C-alpha cells in the first residue's frame, strides 16, 4: 500500500526562527513561506534529496495544529505523509482492518493539490499519518 515518504511535517511555534535554523544551522535549502489559509497553516518546505520536511506554523483561529502546539509548545513532529497509488482503495482496506480514518473519510485536496486522508495516531503508534495519492 505505502509508497515513498512524501514529507515529514513539523509543527513550530515560530516559523521564521525554524526556517533560519534549518537554513543556517542545518544548511538546508528552504522555500519562501507560503500561507495556506484553507489549511490553517503557513508552511516552509525544506527540500532534501530524497524527501521534504514541512515546517508548519498555525494560521488563523481554527488552525488544525493549534492544539498540538499547546501540548508541545516547543514544536514537534506533527505527521508523516506516505504516498499511495489509490487512496480510495487504501482507505477501504484500512477501514476493513479496523484503522480509523479521520474526518468524513472522504479524501480532501491537500497542500500539494492532491487527495489526502489522515489516519488516527492511536492506531499507528502515536504518529498521525497522512496518505497522499500520487
Ligand atoms: Co502533510
Amino acid at each position: 500500500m505505502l509508497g515513498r515518504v512524501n514529507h515529514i511535517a513539523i509543527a513550530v511555534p515560530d516559523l521564521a526562527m525554524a526556517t533560519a535554523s534549518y537554513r543556517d544551522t542545518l544548511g538546508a535549502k528552504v522555500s519562501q513561506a507560503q500561507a495556506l489559509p484553507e489549511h490553517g497553516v503557513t508552511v516552509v518546505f525544506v527540500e532534501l534529496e530524497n524527501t521534504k520536511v514541512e515546517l508548519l506554523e498555525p494560521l488563523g483561529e481554527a488552525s488544525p495544529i493549534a492544539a498540538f502546539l499547546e501540548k508541545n509548545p516547543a514544536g514537534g513532529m506533527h505527521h508523516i505523509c506516505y504516498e499511495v497509488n489509490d487512496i480510495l482503495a487504501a482507505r477501504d482496506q484500512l477501514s476493513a482492518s479496523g484503522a480509523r480514518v479521520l474526518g468524513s473519510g472522504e479524501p480532501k485536496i491537500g497542500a500539494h493539490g492532491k487527495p489526502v486522508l489522515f489516519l488516527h495516531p492511536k492506531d499507528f503508534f502515536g504518529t498521525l499519518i497522512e496518505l497522499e495519492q500520487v
Side-chain angles (χ1 to χ4, degrees):
M1 182 187 302
L2 297 186
R4 296 161 60 97
V5 172
N6 184 276
H7 61 270
I8 295 159
I10 300 175
V12 302
D14 181 335
L15 189 57
M17 188 189 284
T19 302
S21 180
Y22 265 83
R23 184 189 55 223
D24 303 333
T25 308
L26 294 171
K29 191 172 152 198
V30 299
S31 75
Q32 293 292 313
Q34 294 175 31
L36 302 172
E38 68 277 21
H39 294 287
V41 293
T42 304
V43 60
V44 163
F45 299 101
V46 179
E47 288 151 35
L48 305 171
E49 273 184 38
N50 60 340
T51 191
K52 55 190 177 285
V53 169
E54 296 180 3
L55 305 174
L56 306 175
E57 181 186 64
L59 174 65
E61 294 298 305
S63 175
I65 64 169
F68 180 88
L69 277 171
E70 260 168 49
K71 280 184 231 150
N72 304 275
M77 200 189 106
H78 184 261
H79 65 268
I80 183 164
C81 177
Y82 299 113
E83 297 179 353
V84 295
N85 287 322
D86 183 337
I87 201 163
L88 294 177
R91 175 198 63 189
D92 293 346
Q93 190 181 327
L94 286 159
S95 297
S97 41
R100 287 167 285 180
V101 177
L102 299 186
S104 69
E106 291 309 310
K108 289 190 179 162
I109 298 303
H112 312 110
K114 309 247 176 76
V116 302
L117 283 173
F118 286 89
L119 307 178
H120 201 297
K122 288 198 173 140
D123 294 337
F124 295 100
F125 318 103
T127 305
L128 178 62
I129 291 179
E130 179 180 17
L131 300 177
E132 180 172 299
Q133 181 170 289
V134 293

